Amino acid sequence: MACAHTPTCPLFSLFTMKSSLKVWQDRYCMDKFEECNRYQLAHAGDRVPPNMLPNGRSLQLT
Amino acid sequence: MSGFLPWWLAALALGAITVGYWIAVRRPLGVSGVLARFTRVREELEFDRGVAAVNRADPIALEAELLALTQEAFGTVGAPLAGATAPAAPEVGSGAGVMEPAVPAAEAGRACAPVPSLGAHLTFLGMLVVGGALAALLRGTWGAGLGEAFARHLTPGPAGLAALAGGGVLVGFGTAMCGGCSAGHGLTGAGRLMPGSLVSTGVYFAAAVAVAVALGWRLT
Amino acid sequence: MNARLFNHLAMGGFGLALGFTISVAGLSNWDEVHRMFSLGLFTSGSAGGNPRLLLAFGGAILLSMAGFRLLARHDQIPVKPIRTGTISGAILFGAGWAITGACPAAALVQLGEGKLVALATLGGILGGAWLHEKARRAFHWSRHSCVD
């Protein structure tokens, strides 16, 4: 089953834009979403930084 | 003119607004969550800035950075993982084949829009107030009391205000705790058959009935 | 028209429509709400029982179900699973709604209608939401946000 946050996760929609990014969805969103840093933060009750990737790295967005 | 809408017209209007809101704005209709944002403005403004930065980022630079981080994480760019599951979107009506790129979100039903800015949410709440004002002014009922039974038994004196404030705390705390209100759970959530919303709606309605009957018993 | 202006106009327009509808439907009237929660069976003061608002709210839910199914079947609306606070939160909300006669939207509408006592209700609602966030962080409850 997939992560419940896919409709609102900004990264999920980013990953949809390009086929080369699909690996993120395959690895996290659609499979092991419990290992996604964003999911863990959300589940623990914290705000998820919009630029955080599932593996904990952050987009710099300069 | 002080009568209220016949039940079917009210139902039609509320249903149309709920579904129309999703179609127009791609956000689930709800009020309690929006209102709660304004109890932590600083945090919400920071979150808004983050969302805007992601949305406003230069697409080329963003893509380059994403690909670099993908390379770093998976050591590969483009090759699907062995045993990868179905395409990104849950329901595919386009028949996308294995060789095609990831299914665009638009083909599999509309996705939810990002969180609106605090400003847009303020506009929404403000217009709720204006809507009430408009209705009251048109019907000549502006400034009327809360209702006949309320006025008789829970007057606007200290006891009445305390009851409203205390009840308000229950509403604010309860909606935050269950994650929705009459619109969020009742109209949108139950409308979409969401388990959390169906349970919430049933429970809050039952609780309200119990308390209302208790109050009614005291009133008559 | 850029996206930001559209957002403001659309959300403002729907807010206006919702506020107006809540007012003329009677959802911001304590007596009418009390009749709804009395299931139209119990008398309230001199007013008789009347299931009008009950039918309106129930009908709205059913129409909403039909509308989503017909027009948005494949859309990805954020899920709302059952979580720890779902039932207890709903009990508190229902109790508060019956006492105040106002859900959060209705409290704002009441303010617009000139019912200044709604300021007490709104103050309570904001206070309650603030209190919940404090409690949530202190006791490590999970988020139920319907916003993000």
Side-chain angles (χ1 to χ4, degrees):
Chain A
M1 63 166 281
C3 173
H5 296 172
T6 53
T8 43
C9 179
L11 286 196
F12 184 81
S13 25
L14 276 182
F15 295 151
T16 318
M17 299 296 185
K18 218 167 154 52
S19 55
S20 44
L21 300 175
K22 195 166 159 300
V23 284
W24 292 98
Q25 290 175 336
D26 292 338
R27 169 73 175 79
Y28 291 100
C29 318
M30 296 295 153
D31 189 16
K32 303 230 182 315
F33 58 85
E34 304 93 347
E35 296 177 14
C36 172
N37 263 57
R38 298 181 62 90
Y39 178 85
Q40 286 167 359
L41 278 176
H43 211 66
D46 294 322
R47 219 44 187 291
V48 184
N51 60 339
M52 177 178 280
L53 286 166
N55 62 355
R57 301 276 276 123
S58 294
L59 287 165
Q60 294 312 306
L61 299 169
T62 45
Chain B
M1 172 175 76
S2 58
F4 296 107
L5 287 183
W7 71 269
W8 52 269
L9 194 53
L12 209 63
L14 289 172
I17 290 171
T18 306
V19 180
Y21 190 79
W22 169 257
I23 291 177
V25 180
R26 286 192 293 118
R27 294 290 303 176
L29 181 71
V31 177
S32 63
V34 175
L35 201 53
R37 292 190 82 189
F38 292 93
T39 60
R40 36 185 185 267
V41 174
R42 199 165 301 165
E43 188 189 316
E44 295 294 328
L45 282 175
E46 197 184 312
F47 182 80
D48 275 357
R49 274 194 288 270
V51 173
V54 172
N55 291 337
R56 208 192 307 124
D58 169 41
I60 298 174
L62 177 63
E63 191 179 302
E65 197 183 348
L66 270 173
L67 289 176
L69 288 166
T70 309
Q71 175 82 20
E72 179 200 63
F74 298 101
T76 172
V77 176
L81 293 178
T85 51
E91 292 183 336
V92 179
S94 64
V98 177
M99 300 304 282
E100 291 184 59
V103 179
E107 284 188 311
R110 285 166 286 236
C112 190
V115 182
S117 67
L118 215 57
H121 272 154
L122 189 63
T123 302
F124 176 68
L125 296 181
M127 292 309 274
L128 272 175
V129 177
V130 171
L134 194 67
L137 289 169
L138 284 175
R139 296 161 80 238
T141 56
W142 201 88
L146 267 193
E148 189 211 9
F150 180 85
R152 183 180 312 137
H153 296 279
L154 282 173
T155 63
L161 288 177
L164 288 180
V169 171
L170 289 176
V171 170
F173 198 94
T175 51
M177 198 172 190
C178 74
C181 61
S182 47
H185 275 315
L187 295 175
T188 309
R192 284 296 288 189
L193 302 175
M194 294 288 169
S197 296
L198 292 170
V199 168
S200 288
T201 304
V203 171
Y204 72 58
F205 212 87
V209 169
V211 173
V213 169
L215 283 176
W217 173 70
R218 293 202 53 187
L219 287 171
T220 53
Chain C
M1 174 185 304
N2 68 27
R4 196 164 149 221
L5 182 62
F6 174 79
N7 239 26
H8 277 266
L9 285 178
M11 295 181 72
F14 277 94
L16 185 70
L18 185 61
F20 190 87
T21 303
I22 286 175
S23 184
V24 296
L27 263 169
S28 54
N29 183 293
W30 199 93
D31 277 12
E32 287 295 311
V33 171
H34 191 72
R35 285 193 189 98
M36 173 170 75
F37 290 138
S38 307
L39 303 176
L41 301 170
F42 299 87
T43 57
S44 165
S46 65
N50 182 349
R52 187 194 61 88
L53 200 56
L54 183 66
L55 291 172
F57 193 61
I61 296 178
L62 290 174
L63 281 175
S64 181
M65 286 178 182
F68 276 119
R69 191 147 175 82
L70 286 171
L71 302 170
R73 183 180 311 204
H74 298 293
D75 290 357
Q76 301 149 44
I77 297 191
V79 292
K80 293 260 180 140
I82 300 171
R83 290 197 238 208
T84 17
T86 300
I87 293 181
S88 28
I91 291 174
L92 295 175
F93 169 43
W97 191 357
I99 294 170
T100 59
C103 64
L108 288 164
V109 173
Q110 283 175 351
L111 197 63
E113 291 172 333
K115 296 168 179 167
L116 294 179
V117 291
L119 283 170
T121 313
L122 273 170
I125 294 179
L126 290 169
W130 180 87
L131 212 67
H132 174 265
E133 184 62 13
K134 290 282 173 256
R136 189 186 66 76
R137 288 179 197 183
F139 300 118
H140 305 291
W141 297 338
S142 66
R143 275 179 77 89
H144 286 264
S145 178
C146 30
V147 169
D148 60 34

